[in-house]
Amino acid sequence: MPFFSVIIPLYNKEKNIAKTIQSVFAQNYTNYEIIIINDGSSDNSEKIVNTFTDERLQYFLTENKGVSNARNFAIDKANGEIIAFLDADDYWYPNHLEILFQLYKKFPDAGLLATSYEKKFNTNSIFLADFKNIKADSNSLIIIDDYFDSSSIDAIAWTSASAAPKNVLNSIKGFDSSITHGEDTDLWIRIALRHKVALATYVTATYNLNAKNRSKEINIKNKSFMKFEKFVEEEKKIPSLKKYLDANRYSIALEYRIFGDYLTSKKYCENINWKNLHWKNRFLIKQPKIVLLLFKKVQSSLISIFRLKLSSFK
């Protein structure tokens, strides 16, 4: 039986899927299976996957129901003790599964396993994940004291650098399939509220933000965001969770404001305690769409040309 089940949901990623699969086959640790779920792709993704003949790879074609359904389908099919997630346009370094294995052996009671990662905006602009009060490349295996506080800049758990025991995922019924954006954040919150979170501060994965066959921009009206009402009672008791959720509320509110839907943006702002956020957040959320689009263009240029990453969260 494989120790890891590597789950890769696939939807129109013909430009990246081969490199993603190759990064799994290049792993130092080899006791794994790969489960690829083609979520109704309309490009050549299937043809590319079928060029791989390794017996550890299982391939399923389903109708398009979204990434949460695809991942839940694969979790049900998985034979491994630990489920490792990988998106079809991200990549692992050869040490990824090896480090996750070491992390699990040290903390077998952890419900969420994560490694450090880098964020790739383009060939020349790659930034290390920025965790609060944790050096992301210190090469240590630790338990996170406060997942929500430590994730206040970049999230400790990012999907392609995270794993969880299958029994934990089954106990919380996996991903919420009614959410189309932020379904992974919702899952990590639910796990972190009930289980220990273990982190390996080894850089083992690349978040490929430059893969803009993450295709066309999706109209925000078609997005279904995480449901904050799930955590109303918990955030009353856990200040760091309240702050973390407020940051997520703000991000969604800003997205609606950029889209020009000021009314929905205002609704997301109603439950924010602004003392939890930076002054830059309060400034930006008051700006009109045209100003926000200009700021986004400037931010993109600073990243691409000067390798300077700006954040409104610090």
mmCIF file of all heavy atoms in Angstrom, residues 242-262:
data_model
loop_
_atom_site.group_PDB
_atom_site.id
_atom_site.type_symbol
_atom_site.label_atom_id
_atom_site.label_comp_id
_atom_site.label_asym_id
_atom_site.label_seq_id
_atom_site.Cartn_x
_atom_site.Cartn_y
_atom_site.Cartn_z
ATOM 1 N N LYS A 242 -10.355 35.436 14.730
ATOM 2 C CA LYS A 242 -11.121 36.609 14.321
ATOM 3 C C LYS A 242 -10.283 37.507 13.412
ATOM 4 O O LYS A 242 -10.744 37.957 12.354
ATOM 5 C CB LYS A 242 -11.582 37.380 15.561
ATOM 6 C CG LYS A 242 -12.146 38.772 15.299
ATOM 7 C CD LYS A 242 -13.408 38.756 14.445
ATOM 8 C CE LYS A 242 -13.981 40.167 14.307
ATOM 9 N NZ LYS A 242 -15.048 40.234 13.289
ATOM 10 N N LYS A 243 -9.023 37.727 13.788
ATOM 11 C CA LYS A 243 -8.138 38.563 12.980
ATOM 12 C C LYS A 243 -7.878 37.929 11.619
ATOM 13 O O LYS A 243 -7.871 38.607 10.588
ATOM 14 C CB LYS A 243 -6.820 38.791 13.729
ATOM 15 C CG LYS A 243 -5.878 39.769 13.055
ATOM 16 C CD LYS A 243 -4.676 40.052 13.931
ATOM 17 C CE LYS A 243 -3.751 41.066 13.269
ATOM 18 N NZ LYS A 243 -2.583 41.378 14.136
ATOM 19 N N TYR A 244 -7.675 36.626 11.608
ATOM 20 C CA TYR A 244 -7.420 35.892 10.369
ATOM 21 C C TYR A 244 -8.638 35.949 9.445
ATOM 22 O O TYR A 244 -8.520 36.181 8.240
ATOM 23 C CB TYR A 244 -7.074 34.447 10.715
ATOM 24 C CG TYR A 244 -6.763 33.559 9.541
ATOM 25 C CD1 TYR A 244 -5.588 33.693 8.825
ATOM 26 C CD2 TYR A 244 -7.662 32.564 9.150
ATOM 27 C CE1 TYR A 244 -5.300 32.861 7.746
ATOM 28 C CE2 TYR A 244 -7.384 31.728 8.077
ATOM 29 C CZ TYR A 244 -6.199 31.878 7.384
ATOM 30 O OH TYR A 244 -5.926 31.063 6.322
ATOM 31 N N LEU A 245 -9.830 35.743 10.003
ATOM 32 C CA LEU A 245 -11.054 35.803 9.207
ATOM 33 C C LEU A 245 -11.310 37.223 8.711
ATOM 34 O O LEU A 245 -11.790 37.413 7.580
ATOM 35 C CB LEU A 245 -12.242 35.305 10.022
ATOM 36 C CG LEU A 245 -12.253 33.804 10.333
ATOM 37 C CD1 LEU A 245 -13.418 33.466 11.260
ATOM 38 C CD2 LEU A 245 -12.334 32.976 9.054
ATOM 39 N N ASP A 246 -10.992 38.226 9.523
ATOM 40 C CA ASP A 246 -11.163 39.608 9.079
ATOM 41 C C ASP A 246 -10.270 39.917 7.881
ATOM 42 O O ASP A 246 -10.674 40.639 6.960
ATOM 43 C CB ASP A 246 -10.862 40.583 10.225
ATOM 44 C CG ASP A 246 -12.014 40.712 11.200
ATOM 45 O OD1 ASP A 246 -13.118 40.208 10.902
ATOM 46 O OD2 ASP A 246 -11.825 41.316 12.276
ATOM 47 N N ALA A 247 -9.064 39.366 7.878
ATOM 48 C CA ALA A 247 -8.169 39.559 6.731
ATOM 49 C C ALA A 247 -8.770 38.926 5.478
ATOM 50 O O ALA A 247 -8.676 39.483 4.375
ATOM 51 C CB ALA A 247 -6.798 38.962 7.028
ATOM 52 N N ASN A 248 -9.403 37.771 5.647
ATOM 53 C CA ASN A 248 -10.044 37.112 4.501
ATOM 54 C C ASN A 248 -11.302 37.855 4.064
ATOM 55 O O ASN A 248 -11.582 37.962 2.864
ATOM 56 C CB ASN A 248 -10.365 35.661 4.854
ATOM 57 C CG ASN A 248 -9.165 34.748 4.748
ATOM 58 O OD1 ASN A 248 -8.832 34.253 3.677
ATOM 59 N ND2 ASN A 248 -8.475 34.530 5.864
ATOM 60 N N ARG A 249 -12.080 38.363 5.022
ATOM 61 C CA ARG A 249 -13.244 39.182 4.673
ATOM 62 C C ARG A 249 -12.805 40.405 3.864
ATOM 63 O O ARG A 249 -13.429 40.764 2.860
ATOM 64 C CB ARG A 249 -13.969 39.638 5.936
ATOM 65 C CG ARG A 249 -14.709 38.557 6.694
ATOM 66 C CD ARG A 249 -15.436 39.143 7.901
ATOM 67 N NE ARG A 249 -16.242 38.154 8.601
ATOM 68 C CZ ARG A 249 -15.909 37.601 9.763
ATOM 69 N NH1 ARG A 249 -14.787 37.945 10.387
ATOM 70 N NH2 ARG A 249 -16.704 36.692 10.334
ATOM 71 N N TYR A 250 -11.718 41.020 4.322
ATOM 72 C CA TYR A 250 -11.202 42.201 3.640
ATOM 73 C C TYR A 250 -10.785 41.877 2.203
ATOM 74 O O TYR A 250 -11.098 42.622 1.274
ATOM 75 C CB TYR A 250 -10.008 42.780 4.412
ATOM 76 C CG TYR A 250 -9.193 43.754 3.596
ATOM 77 C CD1 TYR A 250 -9.634 45.062 3.396
ATOM 78 C CD2 TYR A 250 -8.006 43.355 2.994
ATOM 79 C CE1 TYR A 250 -8.904 45.943 2.629
ATOM 80 C CE2 TYR A 250 -7.274 44.230 2.217
ATOM 81 C CZ TYR A 250 -7.724 45.521 2.036
ATOM 82 O OH TYR A 250 -7.007 46.393 1.262
ATOM 83 N N SER A 251 -10.085 40.771 2.016
ATOM 84 C CA SER A 251 -9.622 40.398 0.675
ATOM 85 C C SER A 251 -10.791 40.218 -0.284
ATOM 86 O O SER A 251 -10.730 40.635 -1.450
ATOM 87 C CB SER A 251 -8.796 39.110 0.737
ATOM 88 O OG SER A 251 -7.596 39.323 1.451
ATOM 89 N N ILE A 252 -11.862 39.590 0.200
ATOM 90 C CA ILE A 252 -13.045 39.398 -0.643
ATOM 91 C C ILE A 252 -13.737 40.733 -0.901
ATOM 92 O O ILE A 252 -14.150 41.028 -2.028
ATOM 93 C CB ILE A 252 -14.007 38.392 0.005
ATOM 94 C CG1 ILE A 252 -13.342 37.024 0.134
ATOM 95 C CG2 ILE A 252 -15.301 38.286 -0.814
ATOM 96 C CD1 ILE A 252 -14.129 36.019 0.963
ATOM 97 N N ALA A 253 -13.838 41.557 0.133
ATOM 98 C CA ALA A 253 -14.459 42.880 -0.023
ATOM 99 C C ALA A 253 -13.697 43.718 -1.043
ATOM 100 O O ALA A 253 -14.305 44.409 -1.879
ATOM 101 C CB ALA A 253 -14.490 43.601 1.322
ATOM 102 N N LEU A 254 -12.379 43.644 -1.009
ATOM 103 C CA LEU A 254 -11.570 44.404 -1.956
ATOM 104 C C LEU A 254 -11.768 43.887 -3.380
ATOM 105 O O LEU A 254 -11.832 44.669 -4.341
ATOM 106 C CB LEU A 254 -10.091 44.314 -1.566
ATOM 107 C CG LEU A 254 -9.143 45.269 -2.293
ATOM 108 C CD1 LEU A 254 -9.472 46.720 -1.934
ATOM 109 C CD2 LEU A 254 -7.688 44.966 -1.943
ATOM 110 N N GLU A 255 -11.897 42.578 -3.523
ATOM 111 C CA GLU A 255 -12.123 41.995 -4.842
ATOM 112 C C GLU A 255 -13.447 42.491 -5.425
ATOM 113 O O GLU A 255 -13.530 42.833 -6.609
ATOM 114 C CB GLU A 255 -12.103 40.467 -4.762
ATOM 115 C CG GLU A 255 -12.105 39.787 -6.109
ATOM 116 C CD GLU A 255 -11.807 38.305 -6.041
ATOM 117 O OE1 GLU A 255 -11.334 37.823 -5.003
ATOM 118 O OE2 GLU A 255 -12.065 37.612 -7.062
ATOM 119 N N TYR A 256 -14.485 42.527 -4.606
ATOM 120 C CA TYR A 256 -15.763 43.038 -5.085
ATOM 121 C C TYR A 256 -15.663 44.529 -5.433
ATOM 122 O O TYR A 256 -16.267 44.989 -6.413
ATOM 123 C CB TYR A 256 -16.850 42.838 -4.024
ATOM 124 C CG TYR A 256 -17.527 41.490 -4.116
ATOM 125 C CD1 TYR A 256 -17.255 40.484 -3.191
ATOM 126 C CD2 TYR A 256 -18.446 41.218 -5.126
ATOM 127 C CE1 TYR A 256 -17.870 39.237 -3.277
ATOM 128 C CE2 TYR A 256 -19.076 39.985 -5.216
ATOM 129 C CZ TYR A 256 -18.782 38.996 -4.294
ATOM 130 O OH TYR A 256 -19.387 37.772 -4.393
ATOM 131 N N ARG A 257 -14.893 45.260 -4.652
ATOM 132 C CA ARG A 257 -14.753 46.697 -4.924
ATOM 133 C C ARG A 257 -14.010 46.937 -6.241
ATOM 134 O O ARG A 257 -14.370 47.818 -7.011
ATOM 135 C CB ARG A 257 -14.032 47.381 -3.762
ATOM 136 C CG ARG A 257 -14.181 48.895 -3.771
ATOM 137 C CD ARG A 257 -13.846 49.527 -2.430
ATOM 138 N NE ARG A 257 -14.026 50.965 -2.474
ATOM 139 C CZ ARG A 257 -15.176 51.595 -2.265
ATOM 140 N NH1 ARG A 257 -16.263 50.888 -1.968
ATOM 141 N NH2 ARG A 257 -15.259 52.911 -2.333
ATOM 142 N N ILE A 258 -12.993 46.143 -6.502
ATOM 143 C CA ILE A 258 -12.270 46.245 -7.768
ATOM 144 C C ILE A 258 -13.195 45.918 -8.932
ATOM 145 O O ILE A 258 -13.103 46.506 -10.013
ATOM 146 C CB ILE A 258 -11.034 45.315 -7.751
ATOM 147 C CG1 ILE A 258 -9.990 45.854 -6.776
ATOM 148 C CG2 ILE A 258 -10.432 45.165 -9.151
ATOM 149 C CD1 ILE A 258 -8.833 44.909 -6.524
ATOM 150 N N PHE A 259 -14.100 44.978 -8.707
ATOM 151 C CA PHE A 259 -15.068 44.595 -9.733
ATOM 152 C C PHE A 259 -16.125 45.687 -9.930
ATOM 153 O O PHE A 259 -16.792 45.741 -10.958
ATOM 154 C CB PHE A 259 -15.745 43.280 -9.334
ATOM 155 C CG PHE A 259 -16.723 42.755 -10.340
ATOM 156 C CD1 PHE A 259 -16.289 42.202 -11.538
ATOM 157 C CD2 PHE A 259 -18.086 42.811 -10.093
ATOM 158 C CE1 PHE A 259 -17.192 41.719 -12.473
ATOM 159 C CE2 PHE A 259 -19.001 42.329 -11.020
ATOM 160 C CZ PHE A 259 -18.551 41.779 -12.212
ATOM 161 N N GLY A 260 -16.263 46.565 -8.934
ATOM 162 C CA GLY A 260 -17.241 47.642 -9.016
ATOM 163 C C GLY A 260 -18.527 47.373 -8.281
ATOM 164 O O GLY A 260 -19.470 48.170 -8.332
ATOM 165 N N ASP A 261 -18.568 46.266 -7.530
ATOM 166 C CA ASP A 261 -19.763 45.927 -6.749
ATOM 167 C C ASP A 261 -19.560 46.453 -5.322
ATOM 168 O O ASP A 261 -19.183 45.715 -4.414
ATOM 169 C CB ASP A 261 -19.970 44.407 -6.751
ATOM 170 C CG ASP A 261 -21.269 43.991 -6.069
ATOM 171 O OD1 ASP A 261 -21.865 44.816 -5.360
ATOM 172 O OD2 ASP A 261 -21.671 42.821 -6.228
ATOM 173 N N TYR A 262 -19.805 47.730 -5.146
ATOM 174 C CA TYR A 262 -19.549 48.375 -3.856
ATOM 175 C C TYR A 262 -20.502 47.890 -2.769
ATOM 176 O O TYR A 262 -20.139 47.841 -1.590
ATOM 177 C CB TYR A 262 -19.653 49.898 -3.991
ATOM 178 C CG TYR A 262 -18.639 50.511 -4.934
ATOM 179 C CD1 TYR A 262 -18.907 51.711 -5.583
ATOM 180 C CD2 TYR A 262 -17.411 49.893 -5.172
ATOM 181 C CE1 TYR A 262 -17.980 52.286 -6.443
ATOM 182 C CE2 TYR A 262 -16.477 50.460 -6.023
ATOM 183 C CZ TYR A 262 -16.769 51.646 -6.665
ATOM 184 O OH TYR A 262 -15.846 52.211 -7.509
#
